[in-house]
Amino acid sequence: MKKSVLAMAIAASSVAFAGAAQAEVKIGFIGGFTGPIESLTPPIFDGARLAVKQINEQGGILDGQELAMPNADTTCSDASAASNAADRMVNTENVTAIVGALCTGATVAAANSAAIPGGVVMVSPASTAPAVTELDDNDLVFRTVPSDAYQGEILAKLMLEKGFDEVAVTFVNNDYGQGLADAFTTAFEAGGGTVAENLAHEDGRADYRSELGSLSSSGAETLVVLAYADGSGQTILRQAYESGAFTQYAGADGMVGDSLVGAVGADALEGMIATRPGSPELPGTEIFNQAAQEAGFDPSAVFAAQAYDAAFLLALAIEQNGSAEREGLSEALRSVSSAPGETILPGEWEKALELIAAGEEINYEGASGRHEFDDNGDVPGVVLEMAVEGGAFVGKGLIQD
């Protein structure tokens, strides 16, 4: 009798556990928690988690199920780590979709090794290199940030407008650095400027004085560094300042972090010019800014708004798709992010639930802009001018093409 009661209790607890396991939908997050962007990743993750928190507070997903966000570290620079992170999300965590990766090389490795074979939609909030556009991805890889083909052009335009007609460029030797350098160089020279030296470098080294010698011998007094704030970019700027060879520095989104200023020195970088993807002045931007501040993180942190949008869009697509199955999700993602449809702003999960349940079309306008995905999963975007002033990066305004 006791054995029978015990068996029934075990069976009942097993059923309860199975029910609990089924009452959860997972969207994974993979990013560079360690490595050359480790100081940039936490607020990006916070942006995605804010979307998850709001969804769960407003009734959950798919008839009240909890939305969960397991995460894994890609290290940004290690393709094997990125592949392993994606494999865990796809095959162990059994996520429906993925926010990430952040660095382009990590996104490409994760997509090719696990997400595409597993039929899992990925939305990167930070992978800006043109290489993402070129993926043969079965319509599974998207991004909420514009391509560097655009950012490089805008950085070149900004510097020419500020009177810089000769620069030396060094870029981290990967898809991100190469793509950004190509776009910048093409636009800068087309606008009448001279790139006196254009030199690739490897990330993770302790000494770049040889490369800096080649760059400074070009005669250019302005150094453009297209790399990462916690990696080679930091070391190059510190050693460049120590050499006294350059009078002005510039960079792009991977360099925009106050950790860079703290490590190199406020005096060394005062006046440094940079660009990063920005957010247009839309209703959703202010709503996100307030929610992020209440959640305890900086809404202006690079890619935080884009990560929020990636997570919220994926959740909307899952709800629209009607299940946690992976099949059909990319089509649903395109549906909820495009006109026509009732406008959904950041945080308006309950409104979205009601409209989807009623069979109405919706159109999400997010924290970082409108995300009308093209055939390659790319979006148009805006670029924000940044400068180091008073020991920190500050926004100087949106740059229009």
Side-chain angles (χ1 to χ4, degrees), residues 75-247:
T75 77
C76 177
S77 57
D78 185 342
S80 295
S83 296
N84 291 338
D87 179 72
R88 181 161 76 81
M89 292 296 110
V90 173
N91 298 310
T92 302
E93 295 287 351
N94 292 313
V95 300
T96 302
I98 292 173
V99 174
L102 307 184
C103 296
T104 297
T107 293
V108 171
N112 285 332
S113 65
I116 296 172
V120 173
V121 171
M122 295 175 62
V123 180
S124 172
S127 293
T128 54
V132 176
T133 303
E134 299 162 7
L135 278 170
D136 183 9
D137 63 0
N138 297 326
D139 202 34
L140 292 170
V141 181
F142 299 78
R143 52 184 168 183
T144 52
V145 64
S147 167
D148 281 333
Y150 180 65
Q151 186 185 182
E153 178 183 338
I154 295 299
L155 176 60
K157 175 184 175 182
L158 174 66
M159 297 197 68
L160 288 167
E161 288 178 349
K162 290 182 177 295
F164 298 98
D165 56 7
E166 184 180 42
V167 300
V169 177
T170 184
F171 59 91
V172 63
N173 189 20
N174 60 19
D175 287 334
Y176 166 73
Q178 183 71 65
L180 189 50
D182 288 347
F184 172 83
T185 300
T186 299
F188 193 75
E189 292 179 339
T194 299
V195 177
E197 181 66 271
N198 192 9
L199 187 65
H201 67 263
E202 301 302 322
D203 196 23
R205 290 172 44 198
D207 192 335
Y208 294 96
R209 292 179 179 85
S210 175
E211 288 88 346
L212 286 166
S214 297
L215 292 161
S216 63
S217 67
S218 71
E221 295 184 353
T222 299
L223 179 62
V224 179
V225 183
L226 305 175
Y228 302 120
D230 297 312
S232 60
Q234 182 183 123
T235 305
I236 287 171
L237 284 180
R238 184 173 61 251
Q239 292 176 353
Y241 177 70
E242 291 169 353
S243 75
F246 301 96
T247 60

